[in-house]
Amino acid sequence: EDQVTQSPEALRLQEGESSSLNCSYTVSGLRGLFWYRQDPGKGPEFLFTLYSAGEEKEKERLKATLTKKESFLHITAPKPEDSATYLCAVQTIYNTDKLIFGTGTRLQVFP
Amino acid sequence: SAVISQKPSRDICQRGTSLTIQCQVDSQVTMMFWYRQQPGQSLTLIATANQGSEATYESGFVIDKFPISRPNLTFSTLTVSNMSPEDSSIYLCSVVPGQNWEQFFGPGTRLTVL
């Protein structure tokens, strides 16, 4: 069964304290892995798509990386406005219509 | 990307009633999806709504409970029928506007059933 697991469930950081969020996946054939940011009461906001192992993408303080088993979202020198829930989702080659979501990491950054 | 709006943004309903949620996109898209996000949980796909064909429902979701319309390439509705408190969730629509399969989400409809 295709599965996505995110860790940790929750993360509290001091402003400027860099860290990484993990997304582990078990799928029959990966087509793409997606990262989203979700603020309370809002829909998920698209961040990145990664397609192959070794690929990296960056946006401001965020960098996403991909291996054959997992993805990391690195947050460098976070600010309080980075506080949100970060979701990853996978798309398989057998059902490109469907995204399988993890349960998310709730990030809180304190000044 | 795409600009997506949903109506209503939130509602409080009585059990046994039905609510229709609207999703409007600012561009024509073939693929549109409806998701449910239960309190404290992640997103679960309810159905895929492609224009010109019947909606395709995921395991655990049925058309009688969640009828979907897709009258054109910019609009869709999801109805939550005969509601119970277990239907209290955020309902989200999403679209794939391009060829790279990136999905963009609407702001969601927060439904509370009493």
Side-chain angles (χ1 to χ4, degrees):
Chain A
E1 181 184 352
D2 299 327
Q3 203 165 5
V4 179
T5 304
Q6 290 188 247
S7 62
E9 288 187 12
L11 182 62
R12 293 163 57 100
L13 297 174
Q14 201 73 33
E15 183 172 4
E17 179 187 1
S18 301
S19 189
S20 297
L21 314 182
N22 177 262
C23 173
S24 300
Y25 61 90
T26 306
V27 297
S28 47
L30 181 73
R31 188 192 175 279
L33 185 141
F34 302 80
W35 281 99
Y36 289 86
R37 169 190 171 130
Q38 186 174 27
D39 292 296
K42 296 188 177 181
E45 174 191 346
F46 173 78
L47 294 174
F48 304 110
T49 311
L50 302 166
Y51 293 104
S52 57
E55 189 175 1
E56 298 183 354
K57 288 193 176 173
E58 286 188 68
K59 179 179 180 180
E60 296 180 355
R61 294 177 292 282
L62 301 177
K63 183 167 102 173
T65 62
L66 181 66
T67 73
K68 289 186 178 180
K69 294 183 179 180
E70 60 192 347
S71 177
F72 291 95
L73 185 65
H74 307 279
I75 303 177
T76 302
K79 298 181 178 181
E81 52 262 42
D82 295 321
S83 298
T85 296
Y86 291 85
L87 300 167
C88 80
V90 298
Q91 179 190 45
T92 73
I93 59 176
Y94 302 107
N95 187 348
T96 53
D97 286 359
K98 184 176 180 178
L99 289 182
I100 304 166
F101 278 86
T103 52
T105 293
R106 188 171 64 256
L107 174 66
Q108 292 179 294
V109 182
F110 295 91
Chain B
S1 65
V3 177
I4 306 166
S5 60
Q6 287 185 232
K7 288 182 182 179
S9 58
R10 58 177 62 226
D11 207 341
I12 300 173
C13 301
Q14 297 297 319
R15 70 167 65 219
T17 63
S18 298
L19 176 72
T20 295
I21 302 168
Q22 300 179 6
C23 178
Q24 180 77 52
V25 190
D26 68 338
S27 58
Q28 293 185 335
V29 293
T30 302
M31 305 191 71
M32 189 176 281
F33 306 88
W34 286 99
Y35 286 82
R36 181 174 74 182
Q37 187 173 28
Q38 294 179 301
Q41 304 296 314
S42 193
L43 283 74
T44 301
L45 181 64
I46 297 172
T48 302
N50 293 336
Q51 197 269 340
S53 62
E54 295 288 325
T56 303
Y57 290 82
E58 294 296 305
S59 175
F61 298 96
V62 295
I63 187 171
D64 290 346
K65 176 68 175 176
F66 297 101
I68 288 171
S69 78
R70 184 78 200 274
N72 57 53
L73 291 174
T74 64
F75 186 78
S76 177
T77 67
L78 170 77
T79 299
V80 186
S81 303
N82 188 24
M83 289 183 286
S84 66
E86 292 72 36
D87 294 320
S88 297
S89 293
I90 298 173
Y91 291 86
L92 297 137
C93 68
S94 72
V95 302
V96 176
Q99 301 297 316
N100 54 11
W101 292 98
E102 291 169 356
Q103 280 193 31
F104 295 88
F105 286 82
T109 295
R110 182 181 295 272
L111 170 62
T112 302
V113 184
L114 302 177

